[in-house]
């Protein structure tokens, strides 16, 4: 598993980092493609796009589901 280093130098799993802005997620949500993003980042993305930022695949909906895992 890849590790990401935060601003304090602490290593965290890469899965805790939003792929859009590369910051540790505080309010992670899952979109219909199954990918997880920080809520505010994906909400901004979805204002002007109807695709998954990672795959560029068209999303069937814009439902955001909290990712508690």
């Amino acid at each position: 598993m890849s590790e990401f280093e935060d601003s304090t130098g602490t290593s965290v799993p890469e899965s805790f980092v939003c792929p859009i802005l590369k910051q540790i997620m505080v309010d992670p949500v899952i979109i219909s493609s199954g990918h997880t993003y920080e809520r505010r980042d994906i909400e901004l993305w979805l204002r002007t796009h109807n695709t998954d930022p990672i795959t560029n695949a068209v999303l069937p909906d814009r439902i955001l589901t909290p990712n508690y895992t």
Side-chain angles (χ1 to χ4, degrees):
M1 173 187 291
S2 268
E3 294 283 321
F4 175 84
E5 201 168 280
D6 71 6
S7 61
T8 67
T10 303
S11 291
V12 295
E14 191 172 341
S15 61
F16 289 11
V17 177
C18 180
I20 297 174
L21 292 183
K22 306 295 186 207
Q23 295 178 349
I24 297 172
M25 293 182 276
V26 176
D27 186 10
V29 293
I30 303 168
I31 62 173
S32 58
S33 66
H35 292 115
T36 298
Y37 298 95
E38 172 62 32
R39 181 182 297 276
R40 75 173 191 284
D41 299 344
I42 194 63
E43 286 177 340
L44 287 172
W45 173 268
L46 292 174
R47 287 182 188 171
T48 57
H49 303 82
N50 68 340
T51 58
D52 182 319
I54 291 176
T55 64
N56 209 29
V58 175
L59 297 171
D61 61 58
R62 295 175 183 216
I63 296 170
L64 304 178
T65 305
N67 185 342
Y68 296 115
T69 59

